[in-house]
Amino acid sequence: MKIFDEIESEVQSYARAFPRVFNKAKGELLFDNDGNEYLDFLAGAGTLNYGHNNPLFKETLIQYIQDDGITHGLDMHTKAKGEFLETFNEKILKPRNLDYVVQFTGPTGTNAVEAALKLARNIKGRENIIAFTNGFHGVSLGALAATGNSHHRGAAGVSLSGTSRMPYDGYLGDDIDTTEYLEKVLSDSSSGIDKPAAVIVETVQGEGGINAASFDWLRNLDKVCKKHDVLLIIDDIQAGCGRTGTYFSFEEAGIYPDMVTLSKSLGGYGLPFAVVLFKPELDQWKPGEHNGTFRGNNFAFVTAKAAIDHYWSDDAFSKDILRKGEYVAERLESIIAQYGEGNFSAKGRGMFRGINCVNGDLAGKITKNCFKNGLIIETSGADDQIVKFFCPLIISDENLKKGLDIVESAIKEVCAKEDSIPEDTDYFDDVRVDH
Ligand SMILES: Cc1ncc(COP(=O)(O)O)c(C=O)c1O
């Protein structure tokens, strides 16, 4: 099909890595126009945790459409929205002792982030937001200012302001707790870091390279925020909805963030849907202050409710994700022990994992080789150096093994052709001055 080259913008990205025309999908499988089958370890960048065309939600959605249910409702009260809210409250929030108000934003993750930052700034009357190295929060201007990636930031066309950058967990090495640095600069009126309204953070950085913060670090971050009257915003757009094994990625850390952004797999069926959750006392919006035409995607409310009813009424799904995550972790450990001359490393938690292949050239060769063998898998990280394992959570054990086998063979083949595998840079060794 030439039409994509003829009139679709150069801004395309995933289409370049996977240059086929896809026309069918089921569970963890995608099919192209020529009838070729692919295992999908990309999963709509985290939107398809429950797989493509999940039959449980499909039937519900078809029935809703056949009954002439509301499709679009601005922010009006609809039956579908009410039922989603009830289910979300009863099965997700209450069992976790989370008391949150739900704000429906425009249906993209970046819009939920915009709303959270705006609300935090208005509540605290402060402009500055602390964001972290390698963080990714979206590409609209407010969210982009909190995003680290220079490729995305470079396209802004205006200065990106109102944020200060702090080192994420592990950024300065395993032995340094970077929340101590944050604590120091917030305690020092001469640090040059303006007192922030909020801190925004991912518990596992997805686009930034599958960097998983430790639970201790998250708890310390929470403490620093509380001590300095700064709001803690967890951006759970990619890590949430079960990806790490629990519904919210911060549950195991035992923290209760002031605000949470959710999108991607929230709608369940790949339908656009985003929300911000915040503590009731933070609900200081005036009517319509943050609006948007598409805040009432009722199809997404229907499938989101079905997803929660089916997968989150008990802990069976959560246990299954953790079990599969352990299997992926074991396989990744075995792969890095065999290939990469000891320079590769495994990263992440739950079903949110990756292999650091040191540079983007190597990782790109590996994912290309995978694609030739029927596996769709992407890279992430500052240099695209991480091979990112992001299959639907509902994947069968058989296909999970098959996908990992394809990656293992790809790594074996690519590494065999390399003269040597580069070592990961130790920045502190490089810059240390000998006296
Ligand atoms: C953590 C996080 N926040 C925000 C976003 C932005 O979401 P969207 O692309 O839907 O605007 C993403 C997208 O990948 C993300 O991973």
Side-chain angles (χ1 to χ4, degrees):
M1 268 212 199
K2 296 253 185 297
I3 190 72
F4 302 107
D5 292 336
E6 272 172 38
I7 64 163
E8 192 178 354
S9 159
E10 288 297 321
V11 79
Q12 301 165 57
S13 66
Y14 295 108
R16 296 173 192 277
F18 311 111
R20 295 285 184 282
V21 179
F22 298 97
N23 72 350
K24 263 181 182 281
K26 186 99 195 115
E28 61 269 33
L29 300 174
L30 267 167
F31 302 89
D32 70 16
N33 253 347
D34 301 321
N36 298 309
E37 179 183 298
Y38 302 86
L39 256 177
D40 184 4
F41 271 38
L42 169 60
T47 306
L48 295 159
N49 283 2
Y50 311 105
H52 292 268
N53 290 308
N54 189 309
L56 298 156
F57 323 153
K58 186 161 76 176
E59 286 313 314
T60 314
L61 186 57
I62 289 171
Q63 192 57 53
Y64 182 80
I65 294 170
Q66 261 172 354
D67 292 345
D68 286 334
I70 305 271
T71 298
H72 172 91
L74 291 166
D75 73 353
M76 286 190 284
H77 295 167
T78 63
K79 184 165 177 277
K81 190 201 256 193
E83 287 176 357
F84 161 73
L85 281 171
E86 264 167 21
T87 305
F88 191 71
N89 200 28
E90 290 304 321
K91 297 191 173 161
I92 301 296
L93 298 181
K94 282 190 185 168
R96 292 166 180 78
N97 288 321
L98 296 169
D99 186 13
Y100 285 135
V101 166
V102 182
Q103 177 185 0
F104 295 85
T105 66
T108 56
T110 201
N111 197 258
V113 170
E114 293 292 341
L117 300 184
K118 214 190 250 188
L119 182 61
R121 284 175 170 136
N122 283 326
I123 290 170
K124 294 294 177 193
R126 303 174 204 140
E127 179 179 349
N128 196 21
I129 301 282
I130 299 285
F132 289 92
T133 49
N134 294 115
F136 185 87
H137 301 286
V139 296
S140 54
L141 292 179
L144 189 54
T147 290
N149 186 294
S150 58
H151 174 63
H152 296 295
R153 290 175 68 85
V158 294
S159 53
L160 295 167
S161 58
T163 57
S164 300
R165 193 81 36 193
M166 285 288 143
Y168 191 70
D169 190 18
Y171 194 73
L172 301 176
D174 289 341
D175 304 331
I176 295 179
D177 179 350
T178 60
T179 63
E180 288 178 15
Y181 175 55
L182 178 63
E183 158 64 15
K184 172 88 182 167
V185 299
L186 295 185
S187 303
D188 178 357
S189 59
S190 195
S191 68
I193 303 294
D194 294 335
K195 183 159 178 151
V199 161
I200 184 163
V201 68
E202 299 153 272
T203 63
V204 183
Q205 295 183 320
E207 303 309 300
I210 324 291
N211 307 313
S214 73
F215 298 137
D216 275 344
W217 187 84
L218 290 169
R219 281 189 284 268
N220 289 342
L221 182 62
D222 183 46
K223 274 187 212 144
V224 175
C225 286
K226 284 202 170 75
K227 181 173 168 197
H228 293 276
D229 181 35
V230 169
L231 298 172
L232 176 62
I233 305 170
I234 298 284
D235 181 349
D236 233 8
I237 285 167
Q238 189 155 166
C241 301
R243 178 55 59 182
T244 62
T246 48
Y247 189 84
F248 294 107
S249 68
F250 54 82
E251 285 176 42
E252 283 171 275
I255 55 172
Y256 174 21
D258 298 294
M259 296 189 189
V260 181
T261 52
L262 278 183
S263 182
K264 292 199 187 263
S265 276
L266 175 64
Y269 204 70
L271 293 168
F273 184 13
V275 294
V276 190
L277 312 174
F278 37 82
K279 293 179 176 171
E281 65 272 22
L282 301 178
D283 192 9
Q284 297 179 23
W285 286 117
K286 295 186 186 70
E289 262 187 332
H290 187 89
N291 66 11
T293 306
F294 289 105
R295 286 174 298 143
N297 183 358
N298 280 253
F299 290 175
F301 300 154
V302 168
T303 51
K305 172 182 158 37
I308 294 169
D309 280 338
H310 188 80
Y311 289 103
W312 298 99
S313 290
D314 58 33
D315 62 1
F317 184 53
S318 181
K319 283 187 175 146
D320 202 45
I321 300 166
L322 291 169
R323 178 186 64 81
K324 285 176 188 163
E326 276 310 303
Y327 172 69
V328 178
E330 278 164 27
R331 289 292 306 266
L332 299 197
E333 286 301 334
S334 145
I335 291 171
I336 64 167
Q338 292 176 71
Y339 312 104
E341 299 170 4
N343 296 330
F344 289 179
S345 55
K347 315 189 77 188
R349 64 183 173 96
M351 291 277 274
F352 199 160
R353 297 202 184 253
I355 294 183
N356 181 354
C357 300
V358 191
N359 70 34
D361 180 47
L362 262 179
K365 284 181 190 164
I366 292 163
T367 52
K368 253 202 185 100
N369 182 304
C370 290
F371 186 53
K372 265 196 233 142
N373 292 302
L375 179 72
I376 292 177
I377 187 165
E378 71 160 331
T379 55
S380 87
D383 302 318
D384 290 319
Q385 77 279 24
I386 312 288
V387 175
K388 180 182 178 190
F389 295 80
F390 225 61
C391 58
L393 305 177
I394 50 86
I395 191 169
S396 68
D397 287 2
E398 193 192 351
N399 278 335
L400 183 57
K401 177 178 181 308
K402 189 173 159 190
L404 286 158
D405 288 347
I406 293 173
V407 179
E408 179 160 354
S409 320
I411 291 181
K412 184 177 178 186
E413 225 173 273
V414 168
C415 287
K417 287 189 194 141
E418 299 291 313
D419 291 337
S420 67
I421 305 294
E423 283 180 30
D424 218 353
T425 317
D426 183 336
Y427 293 92
F428 300 105
D429 265 4
D430 284 356
V431 297
R432 206 163 283 143
V433 180
D434 291 328
H435 293 284

